Amino acid sequence: MTPRYHRHDEPLTSEDLSKCTSILEEFCTANNVALTSDDAERVAAIIIELYQQGVHELHHLRPLVDAATGILADPTEGRKG
């Protein structure tokens, strides 16, 4: 029996890693998380997982990362009161 090939098995390219790093840095800056922290490692794992599942557009990836980590934008942010 031939083993099935999954997209998760494909190695990430340097361009892929650059995109993932960009999202991680943006997330950490916005949420005051140190890049060397355990929290940053968990977020990095989430980013890689989402990326390997096919979410490659940065404007799609960031909201999914926020949601997956439980950090959602304030719905009233940007509204005038």
Side-chain angles (χ1 to χ4, degrees), residues 2-67:
T2 305
R4 300 181 98 198
Y5 179 76
H6 295 282
R7 198 164 178 185
H8 280 83
D9 297 329
E10 289 182 23
L12 297 178
T13 66
S14 59
E15 182 179 333
D16 296 332
L17 290 174
S18 178
K19 287 182 181 181
C20 292
T21 299
S22 172
I23 291 295
L24 178 62
E25 289 172 348
E26 182 181 311
F27 176 90
C28 288
T29 298
N31 295 288
N32 200 27
V33 173
L35 280 171
T36 57
S37 69
D38 289 342
D39 287 340
E41 285 187 29
R42 284 189 283 276
V43 172
I46 290 168
I47 292 168
I48 296 295
E49 181 67 26
L50 289 168
Y51 199 90
Q52 288 179 318
Q53 289 178 12
V55 184
H56 295 169
E57 298 298 324
L58 300 183
H59 65 277
H60 290 140
L61 192 54
R62 176 59 200 269
L64 290 173
V65 171
D66 288 344

